Amino acid sequence: MFSGSLVIGVTLLCFAFWLHWNERHGWEHESLDGDLDHHYLRTRMRSRRWVHALFAVCGVMVIVAAFAGPGRVWIGCWMSVVVGLFTIIILAGADAFRTLRYQAKKKSELRKYRIDPDE
């Protein structure tokens, strides 16, 4: 149980770091053209920072639970991890909804550009 918790905790910490690294340095095939793109990217970065922080906190809580062993601290840490991961799922849903709205706006912007490229 101890080594499994350490593996899960370190994996969550590494995953949080990897996500944050890619978000800061840009993802492959990502290009930004206009104000709409920059606004979306700022909003997405702010939202995803919370997700990265929650992943890191969950990783730390799992490691604390591993060292604490069975008992009240262990139960409290794992309950915190469950709440944190559930919050991440909610934030991911909000991010998906935001991305769909952005894509719809981007499509209409591209259609306007195709119809009248002089504007």
Side-chain angles (χ1 to χ4, degrees), residues 4-5 12 36 43 91 115 117:
S5 292
L12 283 172
L36 179 64
T43 307
L91 290 174
I115 293 171

Side-chain angles (χ1 to χ4, degrees), residues 107-118:
K107 279 184 183 179
S108 67
E109 187 179 282
L110 289 174
R111 283 187 190 128
K112 285 180 187 177
Y113 179 74
R114 283 186 181 167
I115 293 171
D116 192 8
D118 294 333

Side-chain angles (χ1 to χ4, degrees), residues 26-67:
W27 293 90
E28 191 175 336
H29 308 297
E30 189 172 57
S31 64
L32 302 172
D33 297 332
D35 291 335
L36 179 64
D37 297 329
H38 290 290
H39 174 71
Y40 168 71
L41 182 62
R42 276 194 312 270
T43 307
R44 185 184 77 178
M45 261 184 149
R46 187 173 47 243
S47 170
R48 289 188 180 176
R49 262 189 247 136
W50 282 103
V51 171
H52 305 160
L54 282 171
F55 269 124
V57 167
C58 287
V60 169
M61 294 303 280
V62 170
I63 292 171
V64 167
F67 282 104

Side-chain angles (χ1 to χ4, degrees), residues 43-111:
T43 307
R44 185 184 77 178
M45 261 184 149
R46 187 173 47 243
S47 170
R48 289 188 180 176
R49 262 189 247 136
W50 282 103
V51 171
H52 305 160
L54 282 171
F55 269 124
V57 167
C58 287
V60 169
M61 294 303 280
V62 170
I63 292 171
V64 167
F67 282 104
R72 289 181 184 207
V73 174
W74 186 86
I75 291 172
C77 287
W78 277 105
M79 292 305 292
S80 299
V81 169
V82 169
V83 169
L85 293 177
F86 184 70
T87 305
I88 289 171
I89 291 171
I90 291 171
L91 290 174
D95 187 43
F97 182 69
R98 184 182 314 109
T99 300
L100 288 175
R101 283 190 358 221
Y102 160 74
Q103 288 176 342
K105 288 178 184 177
K106 187 70 174 176
K107 279 184 183 179
S108 67
E109 187 179 282
L110 289 174
R111 283 187 190 128

